[in-house]
Amino acid sequence: MNEKTLACSALILTFLGITVHAEFTCTERGPYADPDSDDCRSFVFCNNNRAARSQACPQGTYFSPELKGCFSSYDCATKSMPYNTNPCEGFKYDRIPDKLSTDCSNYFYCQETDVYNDGELVELPLVRTEVCAAGTVFSPRSRCDSNNKCSHYDCIEEGQFEDHSGNDCSTFVRCSKYTNSEYGGSLLYPEIMSCPENTKFNPVLQLCDSFYNCNGIDFHGGIDPCRSFNCSFISNPYVDDSSSYIDCVYYDNVVKAHKRIILREYCPDDTLFSPLLRQCYHNYDPNETCSKDACSTGPGKYVNYKSLNCESYIVCRNEGQTLSLYEPYYEIRYCPEGTRYNPETRKCSRKYVCPTPEENYCYPQISKATPQLATGPTEALLQRYRRLKMCRKS
């Protein structure tokens, strides 16, 4: 076949949407750089019959022969890209951060483009670099958001780590995992988070901590006081007057979950923190070994020791409006005639034999060193139970 015939055939095939390059030889099926393209917009797709067809990348993208796809970040002049592998591998039809973005506003929009040649189809990567609106930063969790802060921390594992870009320990870096369950992609990404008010990030315990003063020294000696009391209030082990306590959890509005913390809180005036109730209580005495207050044990039903024949019992309900303050309502109730209050079943019973009244009775009272959970179906305790359940899920 002479040159004139070749040129004529190429013209006909171009008219049909197929451009054949006389000098291009298909060695195997797949996409290749187009030797006739000066702007890297087009490429050649060879089918199983070794027939070549010229294709064009979508607007704003350029063909990378190394990664065999169309990328908006491909530099045709230098024949290179800022990265050596396809950043969208495993994240088809998803958006992920561009780790090379200086201000964290750039992200990749991961797609695919369909290429046909005589009925044969191949899907090639199509990766567009897009930019968030001014004043916003991209995060896989919240996408472009003005509340996001840029971080170039190299996340090796999930967790909370010291923010070396900060100078007052009020922020930290949270490394989280983002996964694409449908296509199997997974990546770690950093976010700058702020500690709650009155706390600093303790890099030793990797928690926001009221006791840390940003001097590099851990006040707790490397032992988290909340380690055995996640999601609850505990006694402050560093004081003797019970005027303060430690809250071991806070609700993170950013990620919508409960997170660990070491937060020093103070009881209201005229109240002290009861380790039994895990709340501040106006009638708690840390030095008392024998309590005459039935409600100091917590909400519930209790023996009325002043009732000589067990015909009545005491009911305590918590009407406190906050989780940290216990405000009991004290009530004496009487059993039906002919019955006696049985403290074991917490019911009035005809068969129960009332014991000899105790003169030196005591309701349970414990020291700060042996905290226990109070029992009773009050709203405050139910809120605390819900809080505990939510914490365990986070």
Side-chain angles (χ1 to χ4, degrees), residues 43-103:
F43 60 93
V44 174
F45 173 44
C46 295
N47 65 11
N48 285 323
N49 295 324
R50 309 291 173 84
R53 178 177 179 176
S54 179
Q55 303 279 351
C57 280
Q59 183 68 31
T61 63
Y62 310 91
F63 182 75
S64 166
E66 291 79 20
L67 301 184
K68 298 186 181 301
C70 297
F71 300 82
S72 59
S73 58
Y74 184 72
D75 187 340
C76 189
T78 61
K79 308 297 183 186
S80 64
M81 285 196 302
Y83 36 88
N84 298 321
T85 59
N86 178 9
C88 283
E89 190 68 38
F91 292 98
K92 187 162 61 173
Y93 306 118
D94 204 347
R95 290 173 171 83
I96 60 173
D98 180 358
K99 294 184 177 181
L100 300 180
S101 176
T102 56
D103 61 358

Side-chain angles (χ1 to χ4, degrees), residues 177-215:
K177 180 179 288 187
Y178 178 74
T179 58
N180 185 306
S181 57
E182 185 173 359
Y183 296 101
S186 177
L187 59 83
L188 291 171
Y189 67 96
E191 288 183 297
I192 299 294
M193 311 298 292
S194 296
C195 281
E197 189 177 1
N198 299 323
T199 66
K200 301 287 186 181
F201 185 75
N202 183 331
V204 178
L205 299 180
Q206 297 183 332
L207 293 171
C208 294
D209 179 9
S210 289
F211 299 88
Y212 186 67
N213 61 8
C214 207
N215 61 356

Side-chain angles (χ1 to χ4, degrees), residues 7 29 52 77 106 121 138 172 185 188 207 278 285 321 329 354:
R29 187 176 185 271
N106 291 8
L121 167 68
F138 182 83
F172 61 94
L188 291 171
L207 293 171
R278 292 200 179 181
D285 182 353
Q321 299 301 308
Y329 175 79
C354 189

Side-chain angles (χ1 to χ4, degrees), residues 55-253:
Q55 303 279 351
C57 280
Q59 183 68 31
T61 63
Y62 310 91
F63 182 75
S64 166
E66 291 79 20
L67 301 184
K68 298 186 181 301
C70 297
F71 300 82
S72 59
S73 58
Y74 184 72
D75 187 340
C76 189
T78 61
K79 308 297 183 186
S80 64
M81 285 196 302
Y83 36 88
N84 298 321
T85 59
N86 178 9
C88 283
E89 190 68 38
F91 292 98
K92 187 162 61 173
Y93 306 118
D94 204 347
R95 290 173 171 83
I96 60 173
D98 180 358
K99 294 184 177 181
L100 300 180
S101 176
T102 56
D103 61 358
C104 304
S105 64
N106 291 8
Y107 62 93
F108 298 119
Y109 182 21
C110 307
Q111 300 170 285
E112 285 191 342
T113 181
D114 294 337
V115 178
Y116 294 91
N117 187 349
D118 291 339
E120 293 184 28
L121 167 68
V122 64
E123 294 180 336
L124 301 184
L126 171 60
V127 179
R128 300 181 187 274
T129 299
E130 299 190 347
V131 183
C132 292
T136 63
V137 168
F138 182 83
S139 166
R141 173 183 48 78
S142 55
R143 302 298 171 89
C144 295
D145 194 317
S146 59
N147 293 320
N148 296 337
K149 298 178 182 178
C150 184
S151 174
H152 294 288
Y153 186 89
D154 186 16
C155 289
I156 306 299
E157 59 181 339
E158 291 184 88
Q160 299 181 161
F161 307 96
E162 186 175 5
D163 178 16
H164 295 288
S165 64
N167 55 15
D168 63 356
C169 304
S170 64
T171 60
F172 61 94
V173 178
R174 175 178 291 159
C175 289
S176 303
K177 180 179 288 187
Y178 178 74
T179 58
N180 185 306
S181 57
E182 185 173 359
Y183 296 101
S186 177
L187 59 83
L188 291 171
Y189 67 96
E191 288 183 297
I192 299 294
M193 311 298 292
S194 296
C195 281
E197 189 177 1
N198 299 323
T199 66
K200 301 287 186 181
F201 185 75
N202 183 331
V204 178
L205 299 180
Q206 297 183 332
L207 293 171
C208 294
D209 179 9
S210 289
F211 299 88
Y212 186 67
N213 61 8
C214 207
N215 61 356
I217 301 174
D218 176 33
F219 180 84
H220 314 286
I223 301 175
D224 177 8
C226 289
R227 66 192 183 281
S228 301
F229 305 98
N230 191 24
C231 307
S232 62
F233 305 129
I234 65 170
S235 298
N236 183 352
Y238 310 115
V239 297
D240 296 323
D241 59 6
S242 299
S243 62
S244 64
Y245 61 96
I246 295 178
D247 187 355
C248 294
V249 68
Y250 75 107
Y251 187 74
D252 191 330
N253 284 306

